[in-house]
Amino acid sequence: MNILHYALGFPPYRSGGLTKLCIDLMEQQVKEGHTVAMLWPGQMGVVNQKVAIKKHENAKLNGQSILSFEVINPLPVSLDEGIADIAAFTKNVDAEAYRRLLDNFQPDVIHVHTLMGLHKNFIEVAKDKKIRLVFTAHDFFPICPKVTMFRQGAVCDSVQTCESCGVCNATALSLNKIKILQSPIYRKLKDSKVVKKIRKHHRDEYLTESTVNVAAVLVGIADDYKKLRSYYYSLLNLMDMIHYNSSVTKKVYESVFDLPNSCIIGITHSDIKDNRKVKDYSNDYLRIRYLGPQSGAKGYPLLKLALDKLWKAQQRFCLDVHFVPMESAPYIKSHDRYSYAELERIFDETDILVAPSILYETFGFTVLEALSYGVPVIISGNVGAKDILVDGAGIVIEDIEAEKLCEILQGLTRQKLELMNKVIVESQPIMRMEDMSRQIEKECYGWKL
């Protein structure tokens, strides 16, 4: 079978959970004997704005060969920075280049992993050719141009009305900056020391920001952003199947959109193996691990507040994080960023993983990673990975608050941790890539296996 994926691009130019899952799925599909390609949004011209498709050398990933097609002059890719110039993100184009690509590659299915940079004309041509269209909801971009629906320290209270979009998107990158970020020279320089330093500074400021500037100049009114949402809704309505990776994702999407056929399939990645083991715990010391960024949306400030309270009651614990905290504390141990190769050591030195997300998290790979090493988890009810958690393998806190989290951590005993670890080792399923690929091919692609 011929499978065409649409995603943001290949590493190292693109990274993150969406890219990781897409790459690993493509590699698995090649192993299964399929011909696989990725179409991705590339450079934007200054003068020549005609859409074209540039074929690159095949991407070689872990011994697998994947065809690579770059869209020249796609729509802008905003990532999670927001959208101000709505017309630029919704314009129509001549679809001839897309028509030729589909005629030449002849995909049996097109798997769309993001709507960023995607012309509606491409989807319409595919629909006319009766090619099956599948969309995986990795994030909430079709609902929120800032992706997270997180505003002023909480889930946005005007998601339905778009009343706050004009303020939230005031920080959107200019089209000229986006053109630079999508340029071939940026792809080459992205991992240079200077550019990495600039990127880190920008992302640190962005991720630690818990509020928006309510005095910012509006870049649009609610009706503008409702029209943008309607545009993305029209794309989703052209899909034959919507793939949600959790019940949380489905609930959020379907609170806003009335969508076509859908299914829920949990996700995994190629670095997750079944490494479950019986762990030893101490009566006197609790090792807590947080693997997220220093972000209000991911719940780090809430976690710190809970642990500040716990420290006043008892001081027999530590918190391991993988960044330099802006505010230190005697219980915090700061580490460098980690790689997947270090997960075994990290989880050998972890008694419990905490994922206290305030925002809606479509899945949460760190939860599955912890479980795969036998580590119990405490997660908020907004974390999609709660779907995979068997009874007794961890604790889900609905409507999470610092006080609730503090009480649960204070109540953890060696016996409770040992029991959760025992449940994980004996009963917790750990999804493999081949299992996920098979489910997607059967339930999303409609193939009889």
Side-chain angles (χ1 to χ4, degrees):
M1 297 288 189
N2 292 347
I3 308 171
L4 177 62
H5 291 263
Y6 177 82
L8 292 175
F10 293 92
Y13 175 46
R14 297 300 189 191
S15 58
L18 184 157
T19 299
K20 174 67 173 169
L21 184 141
C22 181
I23 294 296
D24 288 355
L25 177 58
M26 290 193 297
E27 288 178 4
Q28 178 62 34
Q29 290 172 340
V30 173
K31 289 178 185 176
E32 294 170 3
H34 302 299
T35 300
V36 181
M38 183 198 286
L39 178 69
W40 50 279
Q43 63 179 306
M44 299 173 67
V46 177
V47 179
N48 182 3
Q49 298 186 8
K50 184 177 180 180
V51 174
I53 306 296
K54 179 179 179 181
K55 187 179 185 304
H56 290 260
E57 290 186 11
N58 288 11
K60 304 293 184 181
L61 301 167
N62 294 320
Q64 309 304 322
S65 182
I66 296 169
L67 282 74
S68 174
F69 298 106
E70 176 185 0
V71 181
I72 307 298
N73 289 313
L75 293 177
V77 174
S78 59
L79 300 177
D80 57 0
E81 303 279 357
I83 293 174
D85 187 348
I86 291 173
F89 284 79
T90 57
K91 69 178 182 180
N92 285 317
V93 294
D94 184 348
E96 183 57 33
Y98 292 127
R99 193 172 286 108
R100 286 198 301 270
L101 169 68
L102 298 181
D103 286 341
N104 291 333
F105 184 65
Q106 296 189 339
D108 296 285
V109 63
I110 297 173
H111 192 151
V112 178
H113 294 268
T114 180
L115 301 185
M116 293 185 189
L118 182 65
H119 289 114
K120 185 176 181 179
N121 308 83
F122 168 66
I123 299 299
E124 290 173 335
V125 169
K127 198 73 176 177
D128 288 343
K129 292 181 176 293
K130 302 187 185 317
I131 300 169
R132 187 167 179 82
L133 292 161
V134 174
F135 174 75
T136 290
H138 291 274
D139 54 42
F140 300 111
F141 175 71
I143 298 171
C144 169
K146 296 291 288 281
V147 175
T148 62
M149 302 189 304
F150 185 76
R151 180 176 181 271
Q152 294 185 302
V155 173
C156 178
D157 60 4
S158 59
V159 169
Q160 299 293 334
T161 64
C162 299
E163 290 295 332
S164 302
C165 291
V167 173
C168 281
N169 288 276
T171 57
L173 298 176
S174 68
L175 289 180
N176 285 335
K177 286 184 179 178
I178 291 175
K179 287 179 181 180
I180 292 172
L181 295 177
Q182 291 181 222
S183 67
I185 189 168
Y186 178 79
R187 293 202 290 270
K188 292 179 180 179
L189 296 177
K190 181 182 178 184
D191 284 335
S192 68
K193 288 184 178 179
V194 174
V195 174
K196 284 175 77 172
K197 188 175 181 180
I198 294 171
R199 286 170 48 217
K200 183 180 184 303
H201 176 72
H202 172 72
R203 295 307 291 175
D204 284 350
E205 284 192 341
Y206 183 84
L207 289 172
T208 54
E209 183 183 56
S210 61
T211 60
V212 295
N213 180 7
V214 294
V217 177
L218 294 177
V219 293
I221 61 174
D223 283 348
D224 295 329
Y225 287 96
K226 286 180 181 178
K227 289 176 183 176
L228 177 65
R229 182 179 290 177
S230 293
Y231 172 78
Y232 292 132
Y233 181 36
S234 71
L235 269 68
L236 294 176
N237 264 322
L238 291 171
M239 302 296 165
D240 295 292
M241 179 63 69
I242 306 292
H243 165 217
Y244 300 116
N245 48 31
S246 70
S247 60
V248 169
T249 314
K250 180 181 173 71
K251 177 183 176 182
V252 173
Y253 266 76
E254 295 188 356
S255 71
V256 176
F257 300 129
D258 181 14
L259 290 168
N261 295 333
S262 67
C263 63
I264 298 176
I265 300 173
I267 56 176
T268 188
H269 61 71
S270 63
D271 290 287
I272 291 177
K273 312 296 181 188
D274 190 348
N275 299 298
R276 290 174 294 170
K277 62 182 74 173
V278 175
K279 293 176 63 66
D280 293 323
Y281 294 96
S282 167
N283 279 319
D284 302 318
Y285 200 70
L286 177 66
R287 300 171 299 177
I288 305 164
R289 181 81 57 172
Y290 172 79
L291 290 177
Q294 193 171 186
S295 159
K298 291 284 189 175
Y300 174 71
L302 183 149
L303 172 60
K304 185 176 182 301
L305 182 59
L307 294 181
D308 286 344
K309 292 176 182 290
L310 183 59
W311 188 254
K312 293 177 181 178
Q314 56 100 341
Q315 300 178 1
R316 301 186 305 276
F317 70 91
C318 69
L319 171 68
D320 290 282
V321 299
H322 293 264
F323 50 79
V324 178
M326 295 182 68
E327 263 187 67
S328 190
Y331 55 80
I332 294 178
K333 293 183 179 180
S334 177
H335 307 272
D336 293 334
R337 293 183 65 180
Y338 64 94
S339 67
Y340 288 119
E342 298 174 273
L343 285 181
E344 182 172 13
R345 176 188 58 79
I346 285 172
F347 286 122
D348 279 347
E349 298 170 358
T350 302
D351 293 329
I352 191 125
L353 175 87
V354 180
S357 294
I358 296 174
L359 85 171
Y360 291 116
E361 194 162 351
T362 58
F363 189 73
F365 274 144
T366 59
V367 174
L368 180 55
E369 289 162 358
L371 294 171
S372 75
Y373 283 94
V375 175
V377 297
I378 298 174
I379 63 178
S380 84
N382 287 349
V383 175
K386 69 180 182 180
D387 288 357
I388 67 170
L389 198 63
V390 299
D391 288 344
I395 299 169
V396 178
I397 307 176
E398 300 291 349
D399 302 317
I400 192 166
E401 296 174 349
E403 192 66 42
K404 290 182 182 179
L405 180 55
C406 179
E407 288 177 7
I408 287 172
L409 288 168
Q410 191 169 7
L412 286 180
T413 62
R414 178 178 179 177
Q415 290 72 26
K416 288 181 179 179
L417 289 167
E418 286 176 342
L419 180 57
M420 286 192 283
N421 171 242
K422 183 174 186 291
V423 170
I424 295 169
V425 170
E426 294 180 354
S427 306
Q428 178 65 54
I430 305 298
M431 179 180 276
R432 303 173 300 169
M433 274 305 303
E434 51 265 42
D435 298 328
M436 186 188 80
S437 176
R438 191 176 301 113
Q439 285 190 48
I440 286 175
E441 290 174 14
K442 181 179 179 181
E443 297 187 42
C444 296
Y445 298 175
W447 296 348
K448 295 181 180 178
L449 303 175

